[in-house]
């Protein structure tokens, strides 16, 4: 039973609760490996907020590209963030945009780690050079 | 107060926004000469913006007037595809990501 705050102290709110749920079954080694990989891949909500704010200076939709929603990114950048309305909506819910993306990344990370270390009792630090 | 903020944070705000905007576009009359606009740029008195006419173009497209729609804004089709794909994604998320663990 790994504690999320020991491995990923920067998490907060809904994401903290969700990742704690995912980490419940891991031992300390698995948890620290998961934390390293997840930290490298997750997007900080503050970065989404800042990229959304750039929408007011003509670079709308950068946050949508970063979150992997290329279609919406193109639509935003070609219409000035749907005439600023889309940008304003995303300013209000930037946290849930980041949350949605991070949850997806967390599941991808777990799948990836399971694929590379199929044995449950294998110690990751000793199986690789 | 905490109850209210909890409830608001649970609301799928983006989903409501996209579905609401599609509904508003269907209810819009694209042929009226003076149109009411929520656009902050036009409220500030600017005449031109790259998104101008997108809503009316989408409304025309929904009514089957393809040429008029293209003349107003060529991106209406792309906007439909992208927004509907996003709505589907958000509805899927409602089922998967909101139960913890």
């Amino acid at each position: 039973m790994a504690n999320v705050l020991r491995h990923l102290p920067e998490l907060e709110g809904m994401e903290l609760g969700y990742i704690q749920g995912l980490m419940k079954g891991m031992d300390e080694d698995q948890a620290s490996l998961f934390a390293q990989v997840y930290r490298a891949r997750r997007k900080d909500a503050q970065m989404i907020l800042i990229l959304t704010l750039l929408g007011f200076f003509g670079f709308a939709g950068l946050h949508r590209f970063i979150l992997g929603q290329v279609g919406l990114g193109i639509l935003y950048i070609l219409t000035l963030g749907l005439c600023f309305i889309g940008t304003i909506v995303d300013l209000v819910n930037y946290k849930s945009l980041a949350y949605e993306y991070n949850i997806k990344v967390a599941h991808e990370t777990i799948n990836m780690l399971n694929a590379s270390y199929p044995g449950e009792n294998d110690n990751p630090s000793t199986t690789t050079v | 107060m905490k109850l209210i903020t909890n409830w608001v944070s649970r609301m799928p705000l983006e989903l409501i926004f996209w579905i609401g905007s599609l509904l508003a576009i269907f209810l819009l009359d694209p042929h009226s000469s003076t149109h009411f606009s929520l656009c902050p740029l036009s409220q500030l008195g600017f005449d031109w913006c790259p998104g101008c006419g997108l809503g009316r173009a989408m409304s025309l497209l929904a009514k089957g007037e393809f040429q008029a729609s293209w003349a107003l804004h060529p991106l209406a089709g792309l906007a439909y595809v992208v927004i509907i794909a996003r709505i589907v994604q958000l509805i899927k998320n409602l089922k998967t990501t909101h139960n913890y663990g």
Side-chain angles (χ1 to χ4, degrees):
Chain A
M1 169 90 188
N3 185 354
V4 64
L5 280 175
R6 178 165 297 164
H7 295 285
L8 290 157
E10 71 266 37
L11 303 193
E12 51 184 33
M14 301 242 290
E15 192 186 357
L16 181 74
Y18 196 92
I19 300 297
Q20 175 69 76
L22 289 181
M23 278 185 151
K24 250 177 206 161
M26 302 181 189
D27 59 35
E28 287 297 316
D29 280 336
Q30 286 171 325
S32 70
L33 182 62
F34 169 79
Q36 268 184 31
V37 179
Y38 177 64
R39 180 180 288 129
R41 281 152 204 257
R42 73 186 278 274
K43 300 275 188 263
D44 205 19
Q46 270 177 34
M47 184 173 67
I48 304 300
L49 175 65
I50 290 166
L51 288 177
T52 311
L53 280 170
L54 279 180
F56 290 116
F57 304 98
F59 305 99
L62 292 182
H63 58 296
R64 295 284 182 173
F65 281 111
I66 289 287
L67 294 172
Q69 302 163 10
V70 179
L72 275 172
I74 293 170
L75 188 67
Y76 270 54
I77 210 163
L78 292 181
T79 63
L80 257 172
L82 305 176
C83 286
F84 291 134
I85 298 173
T87 301
I88 294 168
V89 171
D90 287 352
L91 274 187
V92 176
N93 70 345
Y94 72 98
K95 275 194 173 165
S96 57
L97 285 172
Y99 173 73
E100 177 196 339
Y101 179 84
N102 287 336
I103 296 310
K104 203 180 78 193
V105 163
H107 281 286
E108 279 172 14
T109 305
I110 285 186
N111 288 340
M112 198 173 60
L113 293 183
N114 284 343
S116 44
Y117 304 110
E120 279 173 55
N121 296 324
D122 282 353
N123 187 348
S125 57
T126 57
T127 51
T128 51
V129 179
Chain B
M1 189 60 210
K2 200 170 181 189
L3 206 85
I4 297 171
T5 52
N6 247 338
W7 186 74
V8 169
S9 71
R10 250 167 234 268
M11 292 264 286
L13 185 76
E14 206 190 337
L15 185 62
I16 293 168
F17 170 67
W18 290 126
I19 291 177
S21 59
L22 282 189
L23 280 180
I25 278 165
F26 289 136
L27 296 175
L28 188 91
D29 174 21
H31 297 296
S32 63
S33 54
T34 56
H35 67 286
F36 168 73
S37 177
L38 281 175
C39 176
L41 273 182
S42 82
Q43 305 281 13
L44 286 174
F46 290 93
D47 282 337
W48 188 86
C49 144
C52 228
L54 183 64
R56 279 172 290 152
M58 287 174 78
S59 180
L60 282 171
L61 197 62
K63 293 177 174 97
E65 300 174 44
F66 299 108
Q67 284 192 336
S69 164
W70 184 268
L72 258 180
H73 204 295
L75 273 181
L78 174 75
Y80 268 118
V81 172
V82 165
I83 290 175
I84 288 170
R86 181 67 183 152
I87 288 175
V88 171
Q89 171 86 55
L90 284 169
I91 289 174
K92 273 189 197 161
N93 283 349
L94 281 186
K95 288 180 185 161
T96 54
T97 59
H98 281 278
N99 45 356
Y100 286 74

